[in-house]
Amino acid sequence: ELAWDLKSWAGRNTARWALVGASIWIFAQITATLLSPLPVISFFGGDESRSGYNLYDSLSMMVIFLSVAFKFRSIQNLKLLVYTLIITGTVSAAYGIAQHFGWDPIGGNIQVRVQASFGNTLNFGGYMVMTIPATLAIVHLKRFRNWLQLPIMVALSLQLAGIWFSGGRGPFVALTVSIITLLIFTAVIGSPRKVVKTLVTLVLASTIAALIIILPSPVPNSNIGWGRVASIANEFTSSNDTTGSITKSTNIEGGLAGRFNIWNSSIKLARQWDLPIKEPVLNSLFRPLFGLGPDMYVYSYPLIGSPSSWLRLVDHTHNYELHILMEQGFVGLIGFITLTSFLIITIFITLKKYRNIKGSFDITGTIILAVLPAMIGKIFELQTGVARLADLTMTLALFGAAIAIFELLNQQNNAGQNNSINETHSALRAMLPKQRQKLGASVLAVLTISILIISVFISWDVRRLSASLILAKGHDHPNLTTRAQAWDDAQAVAPERASITYKLFEAYLRTAKEQYNLGNVDEAMRLLMAGRDMLLVYEQRDPLELDIQIGLSKTTSTLAEWGHYEYLDELTYRSQKLARIAPAYPTLLGTSATAMTSVGLHELAIEYADRAIATEEKTKPWSKAWYAKGRALYELGQEEKAISALTTATDKEPGTEAAILAHKVLGEIYRQQGNVELSDLHITLGNADITVFD
């Protein structure tokens, strides 16, 4: 019979208590997925651009974490992990540098702040936070003392230039922490001579990196490194300035000011646990314990977020622990805090144990210096970063490596405790028949789970990858028909990929409007309905994705404009849904108000318009909302109030579509009142071209 006791197994072993924390964390993620308002989205994820938080990604990373923690308890395996980190970091940095100088063979990734292949400049910078101290540490390997010093120096200089070009202030600070930690650890388990060697290597590599940095780049405004570093101190002062324009605005911006905005709204959400759809009371009771559900934060933030001028989705809290609290509740947060707290304690015990076991610095010490400072620097970066699968995977691998190093030292300190292979075989032969049956059941369970995992991998990952390959082959084809067919084929293979589906829909919508203006009504309808059908299929899987809802609202609005009044009921439904699921975005409230007055729901139009207007002090003028309110008041017979609102619409944002429409309504009102002069003036202004696009 298997007798296992947690307390006796973990004992005073902090690494094992860290594994207990990881188990609690995994349990919280699984339970949060089961309680999620959209379990399929919580399991597989919504938009692939916000990776790393759905259960499928989390379980994949946990497999890596546990594999490293249990199976990398040897010098050779830990060296392999360190080399993997350094090589991938160097390749990524070289690609980022190429982007800085305007060369991007893959395409679509050249930005003012480079992001290499990570999709986000912060993820690229966060990865460099781990690779730079690891590369610095391996200069202490004996085999690297001579001719291999130069490749190490080149790799380190590329990584330093890469993180500089990334321009992430959070990664800059985290890198400083990781390097200082490396120097302290080197002094603790090494010698002053090794500290000096580390500093000399860093200075020489920084010199080479500086030569790369000062080279001119054809990309405009690309040399932003000094400005980003200099602005770090200003971030703290401007964020605390209650009289400045930054704190008056509630727009989602970069820097600490924007993060404080998100953090405050997230803390508010942690008290209310708002969701855009109704759920059973029992689920609501479990929200504080298990959160909103993996990948669900993006849908709840617009319900409680401060109003923003821009339609900028917030899918991350910009603090890893806070994000875990939002999506996995207090149980998930306790699990993660337990994991990381015991890992940090394990680090200090590891340093002490190494000094007691080893008489002199050896390869194990080098691995300690390569792994542990990188992990601490990354934990520091997670406090303000936006971790994704690209950098979280190696982060979890380093977590596992910290446990593996600790257990490796325990093995070296307690040699001979492991059973031999022969002893293991003897134990298996001595099993009772009942125990063998249990073993057979375990093997059957493992086979079943393996088949299930392989099936999911083929039906999900391989299928989505094939869509990427189809699109990659035809993306830049000189023939427009072939290029369009590639998008169509890719979308048909992976209709749940929003990045493909929504872009293709926008192309259909744009072309449909062009065809309609040319008089090709049938072709315009065919294109519009084809785009609409794609969104309807996507909506069946994810009814809360904001881009999809905006697209469907555009479709029904266009159909109504073209005289298909049978879609007015759907237009009403779409507009009300947008106002309900995204009240933090006044631009959508203004659009919904306009739609409501066009279908005769004037009181509701005024309500939506007033909600948008109320945000003007902290966002921007909303002519769209003033126009909708004025038109609704006019339809309700309140002409004087309508004139006031419509006049405000023309003054708030002259040249916008809403201001021009307001002029047209004012012209009609004044004509009915017999004021020919004002009527002619506003009719003339209402026939002007749109000069400001919002």
Side-chain angles (χ1 to χ4, degrees), residues 83-141:
Y83 292 159
T84 301
L85 175 60
I86 294 170
I87 292 171
T88 53
T90 304
V91 172
S92 300
Y95 181 27
I97 293 171
Q99 287 179 348
H100 172 77
F101 291 107
W103 185 69
D104 186 355
I106 296 178
N109 285 322
I110 295 180
Q111 305 289 338
V112 174
R113 292 167 56 192
V114 302
Q115 55 192 20
S117 59
F118 285 77
N120 188 307
T121 184
L122 291 178
N123 303 130
F124 175 42
Y127 202 80
M128 295 297 101
V129 168
M130 295 183 284
T131 65
I132 290 172
T135 308
L136 256 177
I138 64 167
V139 298
H140 301 301
L141 284 177

Side-chain angles (χ1 to χ4, degrees), residues 595-640:
M596 290 301 94
T597 194
S598 68
V599 296
L601 298 176
H602 305 302
E603 290 83 359
L604 194 57
I606 294 172
E607 177 189 336
Y608 291 162
D610 283 339
R611 284 163 57 182
I613 291 167
T615 70
E616 286 187 329
E617 183 179 352
K618 292 189 175 182
T619 56
K620 53 167 275 190
W622 295 106
S623 284
K624 190 188 305 182
W626 283 106
Y627 159 71
K629 181 177 181 179
R631 181 178 167 187
L633 288 168
Y634 169 63
E635 297 292 344
L636 292 173
Q638 303 178 37
E639 289 190 357
E640 294 305 318

Side-chain angles (χ1 to χ4, degrees), residues 292-602:
L292 303 166
D295 218 14
M296 289 291 108
Y297 175 77
V298 66
Y299 303 126
S300 289
Y301 182 86
L303 302 175
I304 48 81
S306 300
S308 176
S309 301
W310 308 307
L311 190 57
R312 183 173 295 175
L313 298 184
V314 179
D315 56 16
H316 197 286
T317 63
H318 293 69
N319 176 276
Y320 195 65
E321 289 82 0
L322 184 57
H323 197 87
I324 289 175
L325 173 62
M326 291 292 96
E327 296 195 340
Q328 300 160 28
F330 284 99
V331 175
L333 180 62
I334 290 171
F336 182 77
I337 294 297
T338 302
L339 168 63
T340 52
S341 298
F342 277 107
L343 281 178
I344 292 173
I345 296 172
T346 299
I347 288 174
F348 291 106
I349 296 176
T350 298
L351 297 176
K352 182 179 179 180
K353 191 182 293 287
Y354 180 79
R355 290 185 64 184
N356 294 336
I357 295 175
K358 302 295 181 179
S360 60
F361 190 85
D362 64 357
I363 187 173
T364 306
T366 302
I367 291 174
I368 289 174
L369 295 180
V371 170
L372 302 187
M375 191 192 86
I376 290 177
K378 182 58 181 175
I379 290 177
F380 197 89
E381 191 271 338
L382 289 175
Q383 306 314 303
T384 58
V386 186
R388 299 293 186 200
L389 192 64
D391 54 317
L392 273 178
T393 302
M394 186 57 72
T395 303
L396 269 293
L398 293 182
F399 283 6
I403 295 174
I405 292 170
F406 180 83
E407 296 293 356
L408 175 63
L409 290 178
N410 281 342
Q411 291 173 8
Q412 294 175 351
N413 193 34
N414 305 303
Q417 288 185 355
N418 292 332
N419 295 327
S420 67
I421 296 176
N422 291 332
E423 290 173 336
T424 302
H425 284 310
S426 299
L428 287 173
R429 285 195 298 268
M431 277 186 175
L432 296 174
K434 186 177 180 181
Q435 292 173 316
R436 291 179 181 176
Q437 290 177 1
K438 290 183 178 180
L439 178 62
S442 299
V443 171
L444 180 62
V446 169
L447 288 174
T448 303
I449 294 173
S450 298
I451 293 172
L452 176 63
I453 291 174
I454 293 171
S455 300
V456 172
F457 179 75
I458 294 174
S459 63
W460 181 254
D461 298 274
V462 174
R463 178 176 58 80
R464 290 161 64 87
L465 178 61
S466 65
S468 296
L469 293 174
I470 291 170
L471 190 56
K473 290 179 181 178
H475 187 272
D476 295 322
H477 198 280
N479 186 291
L480 291 178
T481 302
T482 303
R483 191 184 305 179
Q485 189 62 48
W487 278 90
D488 248 348
D489 293 343
Q491 195 278 333
V493 171
E496 78 287 343
R497 292 187 61 175
S499 59
I500 298 177
T501 296
Y502 192 69
K503 287 181 180 178
L504 185 57
F505 160 75
E506 287 186 314
Y508 271 115
L509 178 63
R510 182 176 60 254
T511 310
K513 289 183 176 181
E514 292 173 355
Q515 291 297 314
Y516 187 83
N517 292 333
L518 293 173
N520 301 325
V521 177
D522 291 340
E523 178 64 9
M525 280 295 296
R526 186 189 70 81
L527 293 169
L528 185 63
M529 297 307 288
R532 179 175 180 271
D533 289 342
M534 290 191 305
L535 298 189
L536 290 174
V537 171
Y538 191 99
E539 186 186 31
Q540 292 177 1
R541 176 178 182 268
D542 187 352
L544 298 177
E545 178 65 38
L546 195 56
D547 283 341
I548 301 302
Q549 293 304 318
I550 292 173
L552 287 169
S553 181
K554 289 179 179 178
T555 302
T556 51
S557 176
T558 302
L559 288 168
E561 289 177 10
W562 290 356
H564 294 273
Y565 301 118
E566 65 271 21
Y567 289 96
L568 288 178
D569 288 341
E570 183 179 345
L571 175 60
T572 303
Y573 166 74
R574 298 291 175 193
S575 301
Q576 291 179 350
K577 184 174 183 178
L578 279 177
R580 185 181 73 253
I581 68 175
Y585 302 112
T587 182
L588 295 182
L589 290 173
T591 301
S592 297
T594 304
M596 290 301 94
T597 194
S598 68
V599 296
L601 298 176
H602 305 302

Side-chain angles (χ1 to χ4, degrees), residues 133-204:
T135 308
L136 256 177
I138 64 167
V139 298
H140 301 301
L141 284 177
K142 292 182 179 180
R143 66 169 60 183
F144 290 158
R145 286 181 178 175
N146 300 316
W147 65 275
L148 282 176
Q149 288 285 347
L150 181 59
I152 295 174
M153 199 79 67
V154 171
L156 184 58
S157 62
L158 291 176
Q159 294 168 24
L160 289 168
I163 195 171
W164 182 267
F165 292 145
S166 75
R169 287 171 293 214
F172 287 166
V173 175
L175 176 62
T176 303
V177 171
S178 64
I179 291 177
I180 292 174
T181 305
L182 172 63
L183 295 173
I184 294 173
F185 286 7
T186 305
V188 170
I189 66 174
S191 64
R193 182 179 177 182
K194 292 189 180 300
V195 174
V196 172
K197 183 177 181 180
T198 303
L199 286 171
V200 170
T201 304
L202 179 61
V203 170
L204 292 175

